[in-house]
Amino acid sequence: MTAEYKVTGAVAVITLNNPPVNGLGASTRSAIVEGMKKALGDNAVKAVVITGAGKAFSGGADIKEFNTPKAFAEPTLHTVINVVENSTKPVIAAIHSVCMGGGLELALGCNYRVASPGAQIALPEVKLGILPGAGGTQRLPRVVGLEMALNMIVSGTPVASEKLAKTGLFNEMIEGDLMQGALAFANKVADTRPLPKVRDIKIDYPNYEAFLQFSRNTVKAMAGPYPAPLKCVEAVAAAVTEKFDNGIKIERDLFVELVQTDESKALRHAFFAERAASKIPDVPEDTPTRAIKSAAVIGAGTMGGGIAMNFANAGIPVKILEMKPEALEKGLATIRKNYENTMKKGKLTPAKFEERVGLITGTMSYEEIGSADIVVEAVFEEMGVKEQVFKKLDEVMKPGAILASNTSTLDVDKIADLTKRPQDVIGLHFFSPANVMKLLEIVRGAKTGKDVLATSLGLSKKIKKTGVVSGVCDGFIGNRMIEQYSRQAGFLLEEGCLPEQVDKAVEKFGFAMGPFRMGDLAGNDIGWAIRKRRYVEKPEVTYSKTADLLCEMGRYGQKTGAGWYDYKPGDRKAYASQAVNDMIVKHSADLGIERRKISDQEIVERLVFALVNEGAYILEEGIALRASDIDMVYLTGYGFPVFRGGPMFYADTVGLPNVILAMEKFAAGRHGEAWKPAPLLAKLAAEGKTFN
Ligand code: 3HC
Ligand code: NAI
């Protein structure tokens, strides 16, 4: 049963029991109504308590049922709430741990609510691109006030129950045993009549029109491409301007409209994709893990410093090893400066600052790091240097330590075989800046131990990253795909585009940054070095030489004050560069290409479908376990627009046959060989299927 029914004295207790978070799926909803029927039909029962088993009161409507007939099956959440609200016996919600979305809406339908301190209270629907659809927008303002309700509904942010103790949301806070307190409360109100209903409360906010207009303006300016936040304001407005039943209807209509939007589908996809990424079929959740209580990082450069900060932020002491004292000092000073900046912004207290800086120490001696539970190597991207480091690590690290490499492109299996303990070796590929970017590609080598993988997945959560597992290949999931995207960006320059047009088209599509602004930020010399190596190994791969010519001009990007764009000192804004544009046009002429006008649609399709096609190969080869993992990589590491759900989900939205049609068109152009559909893409398109 997904809800249990038990009578204690004169009180019936309905306990939602639908793990993991008591989602209000069809069967749970039926079980609540059944419980209510029993309670109302039993003369010995004077009051009803609704609560949740396990780690939640309720996490809300079952998101997995959205877009399935179960979501609309009777009893709907509206019906359940009506049954509760119209009960002739008092109904009390006993809230603990998590009370969100439909869970809070159910509680608001009860006559009374009691809660434990520390419960997370939220209407987080907006984060899924929808709004509370079971009365939340109408009832919450009636108990916590218009302003607080609007804030909660538009932001979706949880509020701790004790912070709401003084509002009308809770009748009593229960410090000790929640169920005992709830039963006592139920006995106390058992004979109270008439029963209070939230819907009957009048919202007292005399100047509501001005407030609502202000909210509309503010929310509109902040909502970006998402339709939900403004609709939240409209629904809450109805709570003040309309009679209750009409407000409910308005809320319902807006909810139905939003559920069907691509933005909401994409956000829901991202929600589940993030959770799916941590599930590895042959590494069950009960796989033993290794304790990570101390860490070491080799190399205090761009990546090493950021990686060390991740450990310190999670309270794990970390030693950074460098070869030269100057490099070590420079690295430690950069870390300190980063923390100082965060403190200046008010995001870190002086005490936390001291604590974090204190957790990071430097060393030049391998002996000093030997006892660390994990070591992450972030030295130069050269196999020779990695070899020296891993051989040394093999000598000094204690048995059972995890040896990780932050390599972006090198073969993790080869690195593992440099040691006598390949089972302990794994790739932990952080993204720059490593203390900020959410993505952590966890590269599973052929011999990586399952416990090492499970520990790394757990570690990614601990340091607040989204861990996505990748198999071993050149560039892993993310960079292998971006290579195809960059190739197309280069060809577009040869055929008629300038960097600004490409960047603008892609940014309009929703990317945080176009490829050329991104190149200038990351450093064009990094890609140059990779191309020199990669294209010697693979001479058959065609690519545009414009990026090499740019580097030959010494234009490495922001760090040299010039890249695809010009930069002014102290100003990160990119200005179109005449010198670069002349170089691009001349390069086309040298190749004998007649430059043409290229539409923004072609730019976006060529860049995004190049990602999709490579993603299909990656999926087929088993480098990625599932399409949604690829989406997570792009959403959290490459600035792919979240409202489009990631490249594979976006391709599904466009329709895979349409993707193939576009690719056939491009295949007829220059470098058409790049557009051969991956067999998996062709197969799914032909079968009318999708990636996700
Ligand atoms: N429906 C279905 N499954 C849900 C769910 C929901 N509402 N909320 C969480 N889950 C599942 C997750 O998918 C995950 O499943 P898995 O173990 O199979 O991967 C599991 O519950 C645990 O989730 P987390 O890993 O996120 O666990 P945490 O303990 O870190 O967090 C939580 C728990 C705070 C409840 C978090 O899961 C969360 O924020 N969930 C979303 C809550 C939400 O958005 N509710 C609104 C739903 S829409 C709604 O109610 C519409 C209504 O207005 C009509
Ligand atoms: P970096 O050049 O900024 O830093 C490398 C550091 O390693 C330097 O401080 C150097 O003194 C030190 N070092 C070199 N050899 C050493 C040795 N034998 N022992 C100890 N220290 C040594 O390089 P960056 O950018 O930090 O890259 C490091 C690794 O991270 C590379 O493998 C790179 O491919 C990878 N990476 C880089 C990303 C980036 O955006 N920069 C992103 C993801 C991964």
Side-chain angles (χ1 to χ4, degrees), residues 6 48 73 85 133 154 213 217 331 358 408 422 457 562:
K6 200 175 143 207
V48 186
E85 196 169 54
V154 168
Q213 196 46 45
N217 296 344
S408 337
L457 280 161

Side-chain angles (χ1 to χ4, degrees), residues 92-392:
I92 299 101
I95 294 166
H96 64 93
S97 313
V98 166
C99 177
M100 292 189 178
L104 180 54
E105 293 176 300
L106 171 64
L108 285 164
C110 296
N111 305 109
Y112 303 97
R113 287 153 299 280
V114 299
S116 298
Q120 295 182 69
I121 312 296
L123 287 177
E125 286 85 345
V126 71
K127 294 185 183 170
L128 301 170
I130 52 176
L131 51 67
T137 64
Q138 305 306 298
R139 290 190 181 90
L140 192 64
R142 288 175 155 82
V143 290
V144 301
L146 187 59
E147 284 184 32
M148 180 176 263
L150 194 83
N151 275 338
M152 286 177 71
I153 292 167
V154 168
S155 73
T157 310
V159 181
S161 51
E162 61 271 23
K163 292 212 170 126
L164 296 163
K166 293 207 167 67
T167 69
L169 179 58
F170 299 124
N171 299 91
E172 206 168 291
M173 294 300 291
I174 293 177
E175 293 286 339
D177 184 283
L178 176 66
M179 192 38 67
Q180 255 181 20
L183 289 173
F185 185 91
N187 283 309
K188 196 168 72 188
V189 298
D191 297 320
T192 305
R193 297 294 182 278
L195 290 168
K197 293 180 185 177
V198 171
R199 58 174 285 152
D200 297 335
I201 299 172
K202 260 201 82 57
I203 299 173
D204 184 22
Y205 200 99
N207 200 9
Y208 69 84
E209 271 166 4
F211 172 69
L212 289 173
Q213 196 46 45
F214 167 78
S215 305
R216 281 187 194 102
N217 296 344
T218 321
V219 170
K220 195 171 176 192
M222 287 166 54
Y226 297 97
L230 208 51
K231 304 277 183 198
C232 287
V233 181
E234 289 318 322
V236 173
V240 208
T241 58
E242 305 287 328
K243 291 227 164 68
F244 182 82
D245 288 329
N246 207 27
I248 289 281
K249 193 179 165 305
I250 290 171
E251 177 198 83
R252 188 79 211 147
D253 290 348
L254 292 172
F255 178 85
V256 170
E257 191 185 318
L258 286 173
V259 164
Q260 288 156 0
T261 58
D262 286 342
E263 290 82 0
S264 174
K265 286 180 191 158
L267 288 170
R268 272 139 51 199
H269 168 67
F271 177 87
F272 287 115
E274 182 169 5
R275 281 150 186 85
S278 63
K279 298 187 172 63
I280 312 303
D282 65 331
V283 183
E285 271 174 29
D286 57 359
T287 303
T289 53
R290 302 185 187 180
I292 303 289
K293 296 212 171 79
S294 60
V297 172
I298 314 294
T302 311
M303 296 306 288
I307 294 169
M309 288 173 78
N310 282 308
F311 286 114
N313 295 349
I316 301 170
V318 53
K319 278 206 167 72
I320 311 188
L321 184 143
E322 265 284 349
M323 299 289 280
K324 295 198 183 106
E326 311 85 75
L328 184 57
E329 271 161 37
K330 189 169 165 231
L332 291 174
T334 307
I335 292 173
R336 202 181 168 85
K337 203 159 155 250
N338 280 338
Y339 278 132
E340 271 167 5
N341 287 341
T342 317
M343 188 167 58
K344 274 186 204 147
K345 286 185 203 149
K347 293 184 183 164
L348 198 66
T349 62
K352 282 267 173 227
F353 168 83
E354 290 300 336
E355 184 189 314
R356 292 193 186 169
V357 170
L359 283 170
I360 304 176
T361 48
T363 180
M364 294 205 302
S365 146
Y366 272 92
E367 273 61 42
E368 277 193 37
I369 64 163
S371 62
D373 296 319
I374 185 168
V375 52
V376 184
E377 163 280 308
V379 301
F380 301 136
E381 184 74 346
E382 282 167 36
M383 202 45 145
V385 187
K386 306 272 188 208
E387 179 168 352
Q388 277 173 16
V389 170
F390 272 84
K391 289 209 161 135
K392 191 71 195 169

Side-chain angles (χ1 to χ4, degrees), residues 498-512:
L498 292 175
E500 214 174 0
Q501 188 198 354
V502 176
D503 283 348
K504 278 201 174 138
V506 173
E507 286 161 18
K508 205 165 132 212
F509 174 78
F511 266 93

